[in-house]
Amino acid sequence: MTTGLDNEFTRMQLSYAICKAFTVAIEEDYTSYDAWEAIEDDLHVTPEEIETLLKNILDSKKTGFSFSMDSSVSANLVMIGNWLYSFSMETLELFYADIKADLVLIAHNRDLEQSFKDNLVSFYCSVLANTTTQDGCIVCPVSKRQRRIIKKVCGLDIKATDNFLATQVTNHIISHHGVKGSHDKSMAVPSNMGQIVDVLMHSDSAELSSYHSGELRFHKRFLSKHGSPSVEILFKKKMPDGYVCVVLEAMTDTKKGVLRIVTAYRHK
């Protein structure tokens, strides 16, 4: 961890400063939103927690009372707190202004994500009612974070801009995981479909799809840009209700600019 920081470094945005100080990797063309996602992934600390931490440190320095943290906070948050406490009031106030601005951006992005969920659930309901005239639905953009994960899992530099759910695949999800699902009924509640957005944008883990034998699976109908069967990746995220939502996606990355969802379901 970096301990000595020059003036130029301390003037940088707080999210970037934390990434640099705690060796959290971010890409060169980062935004503060990207940096906060990387911090949450690597350090498991949220910007809201750091905002509260900064406010407490500022209050402590202003009043002259000693600063301490609750024993229930994470070790990483304690490290960040000790690191922040070493800065001057001027720098801390700049950092606090940075994070307040970042939280506005984060709230905006969360509103966008909710609109993606609402649109996906609406599409799913139209397929259920057999009223859709669409061949599919754009679920959400392929984020920088998702690109990084794909690169790490299978080595592909994805150029696709969107994650796509075809109507045919939606019917497959309904028949296998819907109200009368042949496998389970984990997607019987339409709102559960919105969790696909959470999985693709904020997955807890991702891995290459494989058979029980260990042999890798390739999707023979959704072809890659080279015309060969495409690699499949399993994205997973644990939801607040304790279930894990799983999304299987084919790395098609063709001129259509989409990655194609193969299926989605939930399990305990």
Side-chain angles (χ1 to χ4, degrees):
M1 186 182 82
T2 302
T3 53
L5 304 175
D6 59 27
N7 290 332
E8 181 182 356
F9 185 73
T10 59
R11 287 196 298 270
M12 293 177 181
Q13 284 188 311
L14 176 60
S15 57
Y16 182 76
I18 291 174
C19 287
K20 284 295 186 182
F22 293 86
T23 61
V24 173
I26 53 172
E27 296 183 11
E28 290 182 6
D29 59 340
Y30 84 101
T31 66
S32 58
Y33 186 73
D34 298 324
W36 282 119
E37 279 206 328
I39 289 166
E40 288 196 57
D41 286 346
D42 285 14
L43 302 179
H44 308 293
V45 173
T46 68
E48 290 85 357
E49 287 176 317
I50 294 180
E51 182 209 17
T52 301
L53 178 62
L54 261 173
K55 184 178 184 304
N56 291 339
I57 292 173
L58 281 167
D59 288 345
S60 170
K61 284 183 174 269
K62 286 174 183 176
T63 60
F65 290 116
S66 61
F67 171 72
S68 63
M69 283 180 277
D70 191 277
S71 59
S72 63
V73 304
S74 69
N76 284 339
L77 194 59
V78 170
M79 284 195 302
I80 292 171
N82 291 333
W83 174 72
L84 285 170
Y85 195 79
S86 66
F87 290 106
S88 67
M89 282 288 292
E90 181 184 10
T91 298
L92 290 174
E93 284 170 349
L94 287 172
F95 279 166
Y96 192 61
D98 282 341
I99 198 167
K100 295 292 283 187
D102 283 347
L103 285 172
V104 172
L105 173 66
I106 289 166
H108 172 69
N109 277 280
R110 285 173 179 165
D111 287 343
L112 278 178
E113 288 176 22
Q114 186 58 52
S115 71
F116 298 146
K117 293 178 190 179
D118 293 343
N119 184 59
L120 178 57
V121 170
S122 177
F123 169 71
Y124 181 74
C125 289
S126 71
V127 176
L128 270 174
N130 198 28
T131 59
T132 186
T133 57
Q134 301 173 254
D135 65 350
C137 172
I138 298 295
V139 174
C140 60
V142 178
S143 65
K144 288 182 182 178
R145 181 178 187 273
Q146 188 180 1
R147 293 181 200 281
R148 286 196 299 268
I149 290 169
I150 292 168
K151 174 73 172 178
K152 184 176 180 180
V153 170
C154 67
L156 293 177
D157 287 309
I158 292 297
K159 300 296 188 290
T161 56
D162 296 299
N163 296 287
F164 182 78
L165 177 65
T167 300
Q168 186 177 358
V169 172
T170 308
N171 278 316
H172 163 87
I173 293 172
I174 292 168
S175 63
H176 286 75
H177 309 289
V179 176
K180 297 181 181 180
S182 58
H183 287 31
D184 57 56
K185 297 176 175 56
S186 62
M187 290 300 192
V189 179
S191 61
N192 286 345
M193 286 294 290
Q195 294 178 358
I196 291 175
V197 175
D198 288 320
V199 176
L200 293 175
M201 299 195 80
H202 308 286
S203 59
D204 293 332
S205 65
E207 62 193 50
L208 289 170
S209 177
S210 61
Y211 297 101
H212 291 300
S213 64
E215 180 186 358
L216 293 181
R217 295 173 62 117
F218 293 87
H219 203 284
K220 296 178 181 177
R221 188 162 62 86
F222 295 154
L223 302 180
S224 73
K225 61 186 175 183
H226 304 295
S228 56
S230 56
V231 174
E232 294 181 340
I233 293 181
L234 278 169
F235 295 93
K236 302 178 183 180
K237 182 172 179 61
K238 189 171 184 178
M239 296 298 152
D241 63 2
Y243 278 80
V244 174
C245 187
V246 180
V247 178
L248 178 62
E249 190 168 48
M251 301 295 104
T252 43
D253 199 28
T254 61
K255 289 182 180 179
K256 291 186 176 180
V258 298
L259 304 179
R260 290 181 172 269
I261 293 170
V262 176
T263 192
Y265 55 89
R266 287 160 31 100
H267 66 76
K268 273 291 191 182

